[in-house]
Each structure stands twice: as C-alpha cells, then as structure tokens.
Amino acid sequence: MSVNAETEALHPLIKRHDVKVLRVPRDASALTGRPQVFLGDLLAAALSLPSERIFIINADIELEMDNRAKARLMALGPNQAVGVRRRTHAGDKTKAEPPYDCGLDLIGAGRDALANIDCGQLIHGMPWWDHYLPLMLLWQNCEFLPETGIRLWHLAHGGRWTKAQFIRSGQEFRRLIEHSDPALRQNAFVDQHVKDLARIARGHYGSSPIRAIEARLFAALLPGSSIHMRRVLRETSRHNRFLLNEVTGSPANG
C-alpha cells in the first residue's frame, strides 16, 4: 500500500502491481521541493484502515523476511512494536555496508500505540521522523520485538536531504519531545534519555574540554545561533543512537 499526496504523479509500477493507494490532500513540497507527505497524514491514512497493526517502510527499501519473522509481525500485539535498520549496497548485497546506525527504515506497532502520537510537522522521508516514532513508542512502554529474520536492503542513490532540512526537522523533533503528552511518558529509560537531550541543548556536550567550554558559551550567549543549533542537533542525533540500539536490541555494528 502506498500513501501519496494528491499532487504526486504515480509511478506506472503501482498500477501494474495493483498496489492500493491512499491519497492525502496536502504535501510538503514547499519545505522539501518534493510532494512528500507529512508523517501525521501518513499515520492518519493508515489508521483509517481496519488493520490492528501498522507498518511503515521507506519506499526505497527491499524487504526480506523468513516465515518466522512474518508470523511474528502478523501476531504483533496492541502494545508491541518493531524497528529495523537498513543495509546499503551498490548492487552487490555481499558487499553491503553495516546496518545504518542513525535511523530506522521499518517501524511497526499496534494501531492504538500509534494513534496517540502527535507528529507535528515532521515529514516522512526527511530526517528525524525515524527517531521520533521509536522514542514515542518506547516512551509508552511498547515492547519492541527482536528483528531476527528481517532484512532491509537499500540501493545507494542520490537526492538526500539538505542541511537546512535537517535543522528544520530537528527543531521540530525537539519541540515535539518537549511538548509531548505527559500521559504517554511511562518509561524511565526514555525519561532519562529526554533529560539528556535537554542537557545537550543547554550546551552539555563536547569531544574535548575546549569544545565543551565552547558549547556552554554558545548555549549561554548565542542560544539561537545556527552554529549552536546545528551542533546541538548533531549531538542529539548521535545520542539517539543509544535509543535506537534499545529499540533494535543491539548496536548497529554489533
């Protein structure tokens, strides 16, 4: 099933393979230059279906699963979830890179857990959506199942997001975390993780004593500067890898 904005021209393969299409009225082209859908619209479209579980996978992913993995996903409970990292290759899977440690390309959960999440202005296919959903699911005490038997293959290609898009989406990620519904905050690990992210925003980071002092000065004197925000988001993304390790059950290179 494919979720597309009404403005997007569909690829002929969608019709040829009889893929069901759900159309949403708006797109994010003003922000990304492409008719991508907002994450909230994608979830709303998925929640309009009668399925008891929802799986989101990026469109440039080839999915492989053994029978045991298929059965496990089909039995995913209302408070269970799964998150899987991809491996990128240039045409030869035997030479694929290690699992990508900065995000997830498959996220699934029971519909009730996803129905409560405010996605703000995050955009599917842009940075940070695949940090935000796992964090919010884990914060609700969703049980993440092991990903054994699931492989995601990603063929290397161009057309990635820009630095400006990374910063815009990162600021929205931080805003949503800060203003999330207190009733959904049920996990002590995520509580501490979010506190650590708040400390990063206050300049508590740095790979050396000099960089740490510099970070504190930027946070105190120039909190709205683009340099400070870019560094905070870079450190936030790095710290979120601990969260993604918790979700997937192991470090990306483990």
Side-chain angles (χ1 to χ4, degrees):
M1 184 170 295
S2 179
V3 179
N4 302 82
E6 292 176 351
T7 55
E8 183 174 5
L10 299 180
H11 195 283
L13 284 175
I14 289 181
K15 184 176 182 179
R16 188 182 307 171
H17 292 283
D18 197 28
V19 176
K20 183 175 181 179
V21 177
L22 293 177
R23 291 285 197 175
V24 295
R26 61 174 181 162
D27 64 49
S29 58
L31 300 170
T32 69
R34 291 177 283 172
Q36 292 169 281
V37 299
F38 287 93
L39 183 60
D41 291 345
L42 186 149
L43 280 182
L47 289 165
S48 72
L49 303 172
S51 175
E52 291 302 312
R53 51 198 64 87
I54 294 170
F55 300 94
I56 302 172
I57 188 168
N58 281 330
D60 58 355
I61 293 296
E62 177 188 355
L63 173 63
E64 286 184 6
M65 291 189 290
D66 60 23
N67 288 332
R68 290 179 62 186
K70 291 178 183 179
R72 190 164 64 251
L73 294 187
M74 289 177 66
L76 199 70
N79 202 44
Q80 292 181 316
V82 64
V84 188
R85 287 167 159 135
R86 71 174 186 249
R87 295 187 65 188
T88 297
H89 64 93
D92 184 354
K93 294 177 183 176
T94 65
K95 298 180 180 179
E97 299 173 1
Y100 178 66
D101 66 351
C102 290
L104 303 175
D105 281 65
L106 169 62
I107 299 173
R111 63 180 291 123
D112 290 345
L114 288 167
N116 296 320
I117 298 175
D118 175 12
C119 295
Q121 294 297 300
L122 290 177
I123 301 166
H124 184 244
M126 284 285 105
W128 299 97
W129 79 269
D130 54 344
H131 288 207
Y132 178 68
L133 279 189
L135 186 152
M136 293 303 300
L137 289 169
L138 197 60
W139 219 352
Q140 296 181 70
N141 266 336
C142 279
E143 175 196 4
F144 273 85
L145 303 182
E147 59 181 83
T148 307
I150 303 175
R151 293 183 178 181
L152 303 187
W153 300 107
H154 174 255
L155 187 64
H157 62 80
R160 292 192 71 198
W161 35 264
T162 66
K163 186 182 297 184
Q165 291 164 347
F166 174 84
I167 293 174
R168 193 209 73 85
S169 295
Q171 290 175 315
E172 180 67 354
F173 167 85
R174 296 195 65 98
R175 185 191 70 81
L176 287 169
I177 295 302
E178 182 180 347
H179 294 92
S180 61
D181 183 353
L184 302 181
R185 306 175 187 179
Q186 304 170 20
N187 184 287
F189 171 81
V190 182
D191 285 342
Q192 184 58 53
H193 183 83
V194 171
K195 289 179 182 178
D196 292 340
L197 296 186
R199 282 175 53 82
I200 289 171
R202 296 194 299 269
H204 291 264
Y205 65 91
S207 56
S208 68
I210 292 178
R211 294 289 285 184
I213 293 172
E214 188 179 66
R216 301 281 185 86
L217 289 174
F218 266 110
L221 303 177
L222 297 168
S225 71
S226 59
I227 294 177
H228 174 65
M229 180 53 61
R230 188 168 62 249
R231 290 180 179 178
V232 163
L233 291 176
R234 190 162 55 232
E235 188 64 26
T236 297
S237 179
R238 186 179 296 114
H239 195 70
N240 279 350
R241 295 178 193 179
F242 295 108
L243 181 91
L244 298 179
N245 291 345
E246 184 79 8
V247 165
T248 59
S250 65
N253 297 316

